[in-house]
Amino acid sequence: MLEVSNLACNRGDHRLFSGLNFTLNPGQIMQVQGANGSGKTSLLRTLCGFIAPDEGDIVWRGEHIRDLDGDYYAELLYLGHLNAIKDELSALENLRVSAGFSGVEIGEKEAMAALRRMGLRGRELLPAKVLSQGQRRRVALARLLVSDARLWILDEPLSALDVGAVALVQELIAEHLARQGMVIFTTHQPLQVAGMEMRSLSLS
């Protein structure tokens, strides 16, 4: 489904990584590992098509992602290490707006249900600026519940989360994989998905 061959990326005069080769098939999950500055976020953004690789190819369903345009992005959900939410908007508004930017129109009822499952009951209409860091992260993660994307690319999804929220994210990932979705992620915290073999890619 996703094929990466001979991928390389530079930052200025510094080569972050080179010669990366891997495939990811439906129902598979892969963790990108490496020290700070090794290029983990750059790799994820390259896989999303936000950064052009200096060498190599990224192929989705047999076609290079540069030739797919919106067809690739319709099947991709990227969650960065920043929450990308607006302080002045409520949790509900943030979720509906972010989903809309991804081409997914969701109603208020569906958005409210997603926020409540993420542990935000009673906070759906509060402006994001009054929420804690963990609650703001839950707002961002609620996108996982309303997306039809096949491929999830998650940069530090567990950041600022408590134990209960970490368990919920693991549950959501397990459900996505059971539907033959795919996940590529980075994290500095342990992430375990029951019954799934965790592949790893090390940038060193």
Side-chain angles (χ1 to χ4, degrees):
M1 183 68 75
L2 179 70
E3 302 173 76
V4 173
S5 58
N6 198 37
L7 201 66
C9 179
N10 299 331
R11 181 183 292 157
D13 295 330
H14 175 62
R15 172 145 288 192
L16 292 173
F17 53 80
S18 62
L20 292 186
N21 298 278
F22 67 86
T23 60
L24 195 71
N25 294 309
Q28 291 187 326
I29 180 170
M30 184 175 74
Q31 179 178 4
V32 179
Q33 300 175 313
N36 291 339
S38 61
K40 298 188 298 297
T41 294
S42 294
L43 173 58
L44 297 191
R45 292 180 61 82
T46 301
L47 295 176
C48 291
F50 303 152
I51 300 174
D54 291 284
E55 296 175 15
D57 296 297
I58 304 169
V59 174
W60 175 255
R61 295 183 183 269
E63 296 187 59
H64 199 289
I65 64 169
R66 67 170 172 255
D67 300 324
L68 290 172
D69 297 323
D71 292 338
Y72 179 55
Y73 296 113
E75 297 195 89
L76 169 70
L77 185 148
Y78 172 70
L79 186 67
H81 63 277
L82 299 177
N83 292 320
I85 60 177
K86 298 292 187 180
D87 283 347
E88 65 274 13
L89 298 182
S90 68
L92 176 65
E93 292 167 333
N94 267 294
L95 178 55
R96 296 186 70 185
V97 168
S98 62
F101 283 148
S102 300
V104 179
E105 297 297 329
I106 58 171
E108 181 175 325
K109 184 177 180 180
E110 182 182 0
M112 292 286 278
L115 291 168
R116 286 167 182 168
R117 186 172 180 193
M118 289 306 305
L120 292 165
R121 182 179 293 275
R123 298 174 176 84
E124 303 96 333
L125 304 181
L126 294 178
K129 63 185 177 183
V130 305
L131 300 178
S132 70
Q133 286 301 314
Q135 290 167 343
R136 291 163 64 89
R137 192 59 172 168
R138 287 174 185 248
V139 173
L141 287 164
R143 292 173 56 201
L144 303 178
L145 286 163
V146 298
S147 172
D148 293 326
R150 193 77 180 277
L151 174 61
W152 290 359
I153 297 183
L154 312 176
D155 195 358
E156 295 293 339
L158 307 182
S159 175
L161 296 182
D162 58 25
V163 173
V166 168
L168 177 56
V169 171
Q170 293 175 160
E171 180 181 317
L172 297 180
I173 289 174
E175 292 173 1
H176 182 62
L177 296 173
R179 294 191 297 266
Q180 295 300 292
M182 294 169 284
V183 180
I184 300 175
F185 73 98
T186 67
T187 183
H188 289 292
Q189 301 171 249
L191 189 154
Q192 298 177 338
V193 180
M196 296 292 175
E197 179 184 355
M198 188 75 69
R199 302 179 62 194
S200 64
L201 176 68
S202 179
L203 303 181
S204 58

